[in-house]
Amino acid sequence: KNIADAFEAQSKVYAAANSAWDSSFGSAPVGHQLAQAAMLIEAGIPCQTYVVTLTGFDTHGNEADTQSPLLSQIDTALKDFFGVINAGPRKGEVFVHFTSEFGRQQTANASEGCDHGQAGTDIFVGGGVKGGLYGLAPATAPAKRLDDALVPTVDFRCLYATVLNRLSRNTTTSSTVLGQSFEDLGFLG
């Protein structure tokens, strides 16, 4: 049975290939990765999570010139990705979560960049996402910062609790997986 399931999944992956999508998503690696994810989602591959990465943000300097083209790549790739997803049957289910492993400090350094900090921004877009700002904006006053870093106001585990509960369609999943209860922030319908 497992071997048969593996061959069935393999044939679905091969059938999912769509060179028109792959080339229309542009030449940027993030576009190629999102095209692959869109193909697999549209083919009905039984997977809830795909990981797409884009490097180049950890610059510490000249961030205005570096980040603009990176954000433009993300914008184009997401427009193409959701163009495919929103035309299909999974429109209300598929969402994208942007995150980074570090925040940035408040004050620019001598190289016109920001060094690593504490608080960051997580962005969710797509099916079932209830728009808005969740949590309080970090205090920006110098006395309220930690070594110039903004102090997070939302525990990142609350984000993951919210996602786990949505993916499992069970409000107790996150406490089982995370080992304790964290607030479901309610931004995923």
Side-chain angles (χ1 to χ4, degrees), residues 72-146:
S72 180
Q73 288 177 31
I74 292 171
D75 182 56
T76 300
L78 281 173
K79 182 183 82 160
D80 294 337
F81 176 77
F82 281 111
V84 168
I85 296 302
N86 289 343
R90 310 263 323 265
K91 175 182 178 177
E93 300 172 22
V94 177
F95 65 91
V96 174
H97 173 204
F98 296 89
T99 192
S100 175
E101 73 274 19
F102 53 84
R104 288 292 184 176
Q105 293 199 9
Q106 179 75 16
T107 307
N109 62 26
S111 302
E112 297 179 5
C114 297
D115 295 320
H116 290 216
Q118 301 292 318
T121 301
D122 281 71
I123 301 171
F124 290 82
V125 296
V129 176
K130 298 175 186 174
L133 177 65
Y134 291 82
L136 300 172
T140 58
K144 300 286 185 177
R145 298 184 217 153
L146 178 62

Side-chain angles (χ1 to χ4, degrees), residues 12-182:
K12 283 183 179 180
V13 170
Y14 287 141
N18 185 328
S19 60
W21 285 357
D22 200 28
S23 61
S24 72
F25 277 48
S27 61
V30 70
H32 178 72
Q33 293 173 70
L34 281 171
Q36 299 298 308
M39 289 178 215
L40 296 171
I41 290 166
E42 287 301 298
I45 302 300
C47 180
Q48 287 186 308
T49 306
Y50 296 92
V51 176
V52 174
T53 61
L54 178 61
T55 61
F57 288 93
D58 192 7
T59 58
H60 298 269
N62 197 22
E63 287 175 351
D65 293 335
T66 305
Q67 290 187 2
S68 181
L70 293 171
L71 294 171
S72 180
Q73 288 177 31
I74 292 171
D75 182 56
T76 300
L78 281 173
K79 182 183 82 160
D80 294 337
F81 176 77
F82 281 111
V84 168
I85 296 302
N86 289 343
R90 310 263 323 265
K91 175 182 178 177
E93 300 172 22
V94 177
F95 65 91
V96 174
H97 173 204
F98 296 89
T99 192
S100 175
E101 73 274 19
F102 53 84
R104 288 292 184 176
Q105 293 199 9
Q106 179 75 16
T107 307
N109 62 26
S111 302
E112 297 179 5
C114 297
D115 295 320
H116 290 216
Q118 301 292 318
T121 301
D122 281 71
I123 301 171
F124 290 82
V125 296
V129 176
K130 298 175 186 174
L133 177 65
Y134 291 82
L136 300 172
T140 58
K144 300 286 185 177
R145 298 184 217 153
L146 178 62
D147 297 326
D148 196 44
L150 301 177
V151 177
T153 63
V154 174
D155 188 322
F156 71 93
R157 294 170 292 188
C158 295
L159 300 172
Y160 295 116
T162 305
V163 170
L164 286 167
N165 291 342
R166 158 76 185 275
L167 293 177
S168 68
R169 301 184 196 285
N170 181 335
T171 59
T172 64
T173 298
S174 62
S175 59
T176 302
V177 172
L178 298 173
Q180 68 185 79
S181 292
F182 292 95

